[in-house]
Amino acid sequence: MARSKYSAKKKKKSVSRKVIDFFAGSEHRAYLVGGYVRDSTLGRESIDIDVVVEGDGISAARKLNAVLKGKIVSHPDFGTASIDIDGYRVDIASARTEKYPSPAHLPHVYPSTIVEDLNRRDFTINAIAMSISRTNFGEIFDPFDGLSDIKHKLVRVLHRGSFIDDPTRIFRALRYKNRFQFKLEDETERLMREAVKAGMIMKLSGPRILNEVALVFAEETYAEIVSDLIHYGILTLKRRDLRLMPSTSELAFYFLLSKLPRNMLPLTREMKKVVDGFRKIEDTMDKLHRSGTKSKIYNALSPVAEEVIEAMPIVNPQLSDKTKIFHNLRHVKPFITGKDLKKYGFKPENMYSKILHSVFLLQLDKKLKSRRDALAYLKNLSKN
Ligand code: ATP
Ligand code: MG
């Protein structure tokens, strides 16, 4: 394990080395930016490598990929490309300026220089660039004193309108704050509160909110971030609701979604089932608590999503025996099937699942002990 971690680190180093060597030996004006510069300064591993090119970033990315030989995907509308190589990502963007047509909407994008590009960024700690161009290799561009903020452990916006222009930065600020154990700089904190008070979160589209919430739960410190989201009144969630939050990030993610307005998020059918299950988790747990027989346990849990069942013993360990029983019951083979019902002439067929279910419950409680018992019961039933 340690060995593979070591070789993964080495591999990443060789990818960044190749990226730097490529640009240093080319005519492109290119810069390392964003997370990569910030994380190197902090002495942390970065998940991806961000490069900004003055000029055509996509064509530079294609030439770079002739060396890296990874998988490249480009987004011509944004002038960006990503190269995937052995699980690492190199993001190459064309330097750009952004103008917001209206608050909380996506910006219009124009080509620009690196300094203008840094102006559009979220926080000072993410607005630092290091040249990897041949002519000024190693030159640092730090127009907002981001290096000083890294040193003083501060998350600071670049301008007063930052959270209004793009309220996703509210989530981003709290992610960085907790990931690095930084503080929100005072004025930044004040501006954030102001944006929240102005209702900017709800101006974001459902998909953008969902994306931000998912990113929160991808962080190791998701519980602290959720605590901040409550503290700043960002989500419609009360601190006491947290007693029901399961302690794994995937389940906690669904739990949190269940606390958001129902029709706001673009959820798939499967996700909806889980989220709705979390909405009703207290009732279901009450019902399970009162369930004394196997059939009642089965009845209480069989319509419930797997993730919700998984969460119950985490939230309330007293329920763990019953959820275990339920898992075992799911392996029990029913004595009778639809074929038997057909043979006995039951009609209409859309009643079959109901009948099979009720016979199965009798089987679980040992009121029917064998297939023979069950068939006799059916025979009786068919007469009525
Ligand atoms: P992470 O380690 O979370 O990936 P990162 O800094 O690399 O951190 P990304 O989301 O990958 O963050 O974005 C890369 C860079 O793009 C950021 O460092 C920041 O400069 C800029 N950026 C991303 N999202 C925004 C935003 N909403 N507003 C302004 N700048 C942004
Ligand atoms: Mg990144």
Side-chain angles (χ1 to χ4, degrees):
M1 187 66 199
R3 195 186 165 85
S4 75
K5 210 168 167 186
Y6 173 72
S7 56
K9 232 175 179 169
K10 234 166 84 175
K11 175 96 208 172
K12 170 139 207 189
K13 202 144 201 162
S14 87
V15 172
S16 51
R17 193 76 263 155
K18 279 182 191 159
V19 172
I20 292 169
D21 288 349
F22 167 80
F23 283 110
S26 79
E27 291 305 314
H28 295 287
R29 298 194 61 83
Y31 306 83
L32 293 173
V33 288
Y36 189 80
V37 177
R38 179 199 67 219
D39 291 344
S40 316
T41 310
L42 283 166
R44 289 173 68 109
E45 276 282 293
S46 198
I47 318 165
D48 44 28
I49 304 171
D50 292 310
V51 179
V52 166
V53 174
E54 284 175 343
D56 184 351
I58 294 182
S59 107
R62 287 205 189 102
K63 286 188 236 159
L64 169 64
N65 198 38
V67 181
L68 292 183
K69 301 190 172 40
K71 202 169 149 269
I72 182 165
V73 181
S74 50
H75 308 279
D77 286 352
F78 296 99
T80 61
S82 296
I83 298 173
D84 237 300
I85 169 161
D86 300 331
Y88 298 113
R89 222 172 81 167
V90 186
D91 285 327
I92 297 108
S94 317
R96 63 189 196 258
T97 301
E98 293 179 342
K99 294 226 160 65
Y100 286 84
S102 53
H105 286 75
L106 292 172
H108 295 158
V109 172
Y110 307 90
S112 74
T113 61
I114 183 67
V115 173
E116 287 170 305
D117 184 285
L118 294 177
N119 280 329
R120 74 174 170 85
R121 292 182 183 259
D122 47 4
F123 307 110
T124 60
I125 57 171
N126 289 341
I128 309 165
M130 188 191 106
S131 168
I132 47 174
S133 311
R134 198 161 48 81
T135 47
N136 59 342
F137 190 93
E139 188 177 342
I140 302 280
F141 293 78
D142 181 16
F144 302 98
D145 272 341
L147 287 172
S148 157
D149 283 340
I150 291 178
K151 198 166 137 205
H152 295 102
K153 299 176 177 286
L154 289 173
V155 179
R156 183 197 305 266
V157 283
L158 307 193
H159 60 91
R160 295 179 48 113
S162 187
F163 291 122
I164 304 282
D165 282 348
D166 179 356
T168 64
R169 292 173 185 160
I170 295 171
F171 291 91
R172 296 178 63 83
L174 297 177
R175 277 168 43 216
Y176 294 125
K177 167 184 177 277
N178 287 288
R179 190 196 299 171
F180 303 132
Q181 302 290 303
F182 278 19
K183 267 189 59 178
L184 298 178
E185 173 271 332
D186 288 348
E187 175 69 357
T188 299
E189 184 177 27
R190 195 185 66 70
L191 293 167
M192 193 176 97
R193 284 186 192 275
E194 223 171 74
V196 172
K197 212 162 155 194
M200 294 314 295
I201 299 284
M202 284 305 150
K203 295 222 162 101
L204 288 168
S205 67
R208 292 185 82 197
I209 293 187
L210 182 61
N211 185 47
E212 290 307 321
V213 174
L215 289 171
V216 165
F217 285 90
E219 298 280 337
E220 266 176 44
T221 55
Y222 72 86
E224 285 88 338
I225 304 176
V226 170
S227 178
D228 275 348
L229 292 172
I230 296 172
H231 175 74
Y232 290 107
I234 292 162
L235 296 179
T236 48
L237 184 66
K238 307 235 161 27
R239 200 159 286 280
R240 66 183 146 77
D241 290 337
L242 279 189
R243 75 194 191 295
L244 288 174
M245 185 160 98
S247 55
T248 75
S249 66
E250 194 208 351
L251 299 176
F253 168 62
Y254 285 116
F255 165 81
L256 193 89
L257 294 185
S258 77
K259 299 287 168 193
L260 300 181
R262 193 158 191 277
N263 291 321
M264 190 177 80
L265 306 168
L267 302 179
T268 61
R269 237 182 31 181
E270 293 80 34
M271 285 174 89
K272 262 200 183 109
K273 186 176 177 201
V274 181
V275 171
D276 283 342
F278 272 107
R279 238 176 231 123
K280 292 184 286 199
I281 191 170
E282 276 185 287
D283 289 346
T284 312
M285 291 202 304
D286 277 351
K287 197 165 160 194
L288 188 59
H289 212 72
R290 284 183 273 110
S291 301
T293 58
K294 286 184 176 166
S295 64
K296 286 208 168 122
I297 294 173
Y298 189 81
N299 248 347
L301 294 185
S302 57
V304 178
E306 187 54 45
E307 289 83 349
V308 181
I309 299 174
E310 207 182 315
M312 287 181 193
I314 302 179
V315 177
N316 180 354
Q318 280 182 357
L319 293 175
S320 84
D321 286 349
K322 286 185 176 167
T323 52
K324 262 188 214 139
I325 290 174
F326 176 71
H327 280 119
N328 292 332
L329 295 182
R330 284 208 293 204
H331 300 301
V332 174
K333 199 166 162 249
F335 290 147
I336 57 161
T337 66
K339 268 192 197 152
D340 299 310
L341 297 184
K342 209 164 193 161
K343 217 165 96 193
Y344 284 93
F346 278 93
K347 277 192 180 117
E349 296 205 359
N350 61 12
M351 288 297 288
Y352 278 21
S353 65
K354 226 172 168 170
I355 301 172
L356 290 174
H357 183 74
S358 64
V359 176
F360 187 58
L361 294 181
L362 293 170
Q363 172 182 346
L364 293 181
D365 286 347
K366 301 240 170 6
K367 290 184 178 142
L368 300 171
K369 293 198 176 63
S370 64
R371 176 167 160 80
R372 247 178 71 187
D373 275 4
L375 289 174
Y377 175 81
L378 269 193
K379 210 169 190 173
N380 225 338
L381 207 63
S382 69
K383 282 189 204 141
N384 303 327

